[in-house]
Amino acid sequence: MRVRRTRYPFVIAVTGALLTVSACGGGDSTSTGNGSDAKQLEVFSWWTSGSEDAALKQLTAGFTATNPGVKVVNGAVAGGGGGNAQAILQTRLQGNNPPDTWQTHPGKAIGQYIDSNILADLSSVYEKDGLSKVVPAELVESVSKNGKIYGVSTGAHRGNVLWFNKKLLAEAGVQLSESTTPEQFVQALGKLKDKGVTPLCLGAKDAFATAQLFENTLLGEIGPDGWNDLVAGKTSWTSPKVKQAATLFSKMLPYADPDAAALSWDQATKRLASGECAVMSMGDWAYGELVKDGAKDGTDFGYVPEPGTNGSFVLVVDTFVVAENAKHRDLGLKWASAISSKDVQLAFSKEKGSTPVRTDVPTDSLPAYQKEAAASFRGDQLVQSIVHGEAMSPQFQQSFYDAVTQFVQSKDTGSFVEALASAARS
């Protein structure tokens, strides 16, 4: 995602039944684990790619090691870059049939569940395990409300990474570095095309991938302080720098893989590894996928921060919540504790390509890329992602997706930024 990340946003219309216990309903919706299936826990996510599944298995192993005899039911839903999972989750929440625990992101993404009063308070987990002392305060705050903490995070992905096939760039005489500007990046794409190379890998079948390309281009143009002002409403979406980012984005799109519309994000990643396309703007869940497919860091592929974003870390944080009326709520709390441990976070990140959110997890055993990402997470300016539902409301997130989709077809910069400005005002 990979994260990654709330890929297709939605707004929960939670019914009253989800929040109350039926007086004569036989206890099915509120059981804490005393029924015939007391020894099982359903974990719901959209993690189905090779690296994602491997990372999820590390969380499961960490949980079962301290909870022997409990069956973990993998409720992962494939397809749509997380969109299919989100649709099913919404239906289940409205039908008073929540998973025991499910995947989300901090900020506005988790906020929709918190505001609907459907999440268990995990403050006891933080207190028992001392998490507030080792998880960055801004991350704790982003999963909290009114002094209660509702989510535990397993790893932080860096969303603003530009990956490239080293052989293709070398053969084309193209160099990318931390100092490459967005304008120079567009020029590099043109040079790659002139050499007969498909310049830009893009898995546009997953709508988040194209939206993230614009998100990263936007950050490269306005910087982290400008980003924070924009999402806080202090800067207009029709400002000159936003328009410039949209112009640059429109110049990148013609260089995308002609098969992009048929490719998922992980399929596009495989094309990068195999040399079918040259560069890809994607969060570092791509690292886990590249390595899982056998590509070698520094030999087959390289990476730099998205042009213009050096010194920034776009947060795409993998977070789990527990339903307040989960069938196995007690086991859900134990899951939250287990996946927060140092050893489990390290094992998870090695598979996923992420950075442990606990600052007391040693990074010396991580591969070179992840050491670099960990240093960025702990030292660079953190900004929350719009695309993955952290920085702005689910309603705006959906409008962002819709506006990007329209812009890909129209290339009308004025209409694009006005659509974003209108969404921000609503």
Side-chain angles (χ1 to χ4, degrees):
M1 99 60 74
R2 79 251 103 305
V3 174
R4 4 335 27 13
R5 12 292 51 48
T6 301
R7 303 257 172 75
Y8 276 115
F10 64 94
V11 180
I12 304 174
V14 182
T15 64
L18 184 59
L19 308 178
T20 59
V21 179
S22 171
C24 57
D28 180 66
S29 66
T30 58
S31 168
T32 57
N34 297 319
S36 60
D37 61 348
K39 285 294 187 178
Q40 74 175 36
L41 176 78
E42 183 187 7
V43 179
F44 188 91
S45 75
W46 56 78
W47 286 340
T48 58
S49 76
S51 61
E52 291 172 334
D53 181 64
L56 180 57
K57 286 176 179 175
Q58 291 293 343
L59 299 184
T60 300
F63 171 74
T64 55
T66 54
N67 296 275
V70 177
K71 177 184 178 181
V72 175
V73 178
N74 182 359
V77 176
N84 292 349
Q86 296 287 14
I88 291 172
L89 177 62
Q90 181 182 15
T91 299
R92 291 187 59 177
L93 293 177
Q94 291 175 338
N96 195 25
N97 182 33
D100 296 315
T101 181
W102 68 87
Q103 173 194 8
T104 185
H105 295 302
K108 300 297 185 181
I110 194 175
Q112 59 188 322
Y113 305 122
I114 295 173
D115 292 343
S116 297
N117 299 313
I118 62 174
L119 298 184
D121 179 5
L122 303 182
S123 300
S124 61
V125 175
Y126 276 74
E127 182 176 356
K128 178 177 69 73
D129 298 334
L131 296 179
S132 294
K133 298 177 182 178
V134 295
V135 176
E138 56 264 50
L139 283 187
V140 177
E141 182 180 350
S142 69
V143 296
S144 302
K145 184 176 182 180
N146 297 331
K148 296 181 179 181
I149 309 173
Y150 293 95
V152 293
S153 299
T154 56
H157 281 292
R158 180 165 60 167
N160 54 312
V161 187
L162 188 68
W163 307 90
F164 54 87
N165 183 291
K166 289 181 69 71
K167 181 180 179 181
L168 290 182
L169 261 63
E171 290 177 348
V174 170
Q175 293 184 339
L176 298 171
S177 71
E178 293 181 347
S179 61
T180 299
T181 67
E183 292 80 6
Q184 290 170 334
F185 175 53
V186 173
Q187 293 171 5
L189 293 175
K191 189 172 182 179
L192 286 163
K193 185 175 182 179
D194 290 343
K195 296 292 186 179
V197 174
T198 299
L200 185 61
C201 309
L202 184 62
K205 183 178 179 180
D206 293 330
F208 86 91
T210 309
Q212 185 161 319
L213 175 61
F214 175 63
E215 175 171 89
N216 287 338
T217 303
L218 179 61
L219 177 62
E221 193 63 27
I222 67 177
D225 292 334
W227 181 270
N228 290 332
D229 286 345
L230 188 64
V231 299
K234 297 178 182 179
T235 298
S236 172
W237 283 89
T238 59
S239 69
K241 285 192 174 183
V242 176
K243 290 180 179 177
Q244 175 61 14
T247 298
L248 288 167
F249 178 51
S250 70
K251 292 180 179 179
M252 296 174 190
L253 292 172
Y255 295 114
D257 189 329
D259 295 329
L263 299 174
S264 62
W265 75 269
D266 51 318
Q267 289 172 328
T269 304
K270 292 179 188 296
R271 289 202 173 195
L272 175 79
S274 64
E276 295 175 76
C277 50
V279 301
M280 179 174 66
S281 178
M282 182 57 59
D284 58 14
W285 46 92
Y287 178 82
E289 202 67 17
L290 286 164
V291 172
K292 192 72 176 177
D293 289 338
K296 292 182 171 53
D297 181 354
T299 301
D300 300 319
F301 68 91
Y303 40 82
V304 293
E306 184 77 18
T309 71
N310 190 36
S312 300
F313 188 108
V314 176
L315 285 167
V316 184
V317 181
D318 293 320
T319 301
F320 278 87
V321 297
V322 177
E324 174 61 27
N325 69 330
K327 293 178 181 178
H328 314 100
R329 184 179 183 277
D330 291 345
L331 290 177
L333 297 181
K334 291 179 179 179
W335 166 268
S337 177
I339 67 176
S340 301
S341 74
K342 292 170 65 174
D343 289 345
V344 172
Q345 286 213 353
L346 183 60
F348 171 84
S349 289
K350 285 181 177 180
E351 297 286 358
K352 192 74 160 41
S354 58
T355 295
V357 297
R358 292 183 59 137
T359 57
D360 61 339
V361 174
T363 61
D364 55 304
S365 65
L366 291 173
Y369 167 74
Q370 288 177 279
K371 288 179 182 177
E372 178 185 312
S376 176
F377 174 67
R378 297 175 182 183
D380 288 339
Q381 191 162 348
L382 305 179
V383 298
Q384 291 188 318
S385 169
I386 295 171
V387 170
H388 299 288
E390 297 173 358
M392 300 187 73
S393 71
Q395 294 92 333
F396 182 87
Q397 185 191 14
Q398 183 63 64
S399 296
F400 191 88
Y401 275 65
D402 292 343
V404 169
T405 299
Q406 290 294 324
F407 183 67
V408 169
Q409 300 300 320
S410 71
K411 308 296 191 300
D412 186 334
T413 298
S415 296
F416 179 47
V417 298
E418 183 52 47
L420 294 172
S422 177
R425 290 191 296 266
S426 63

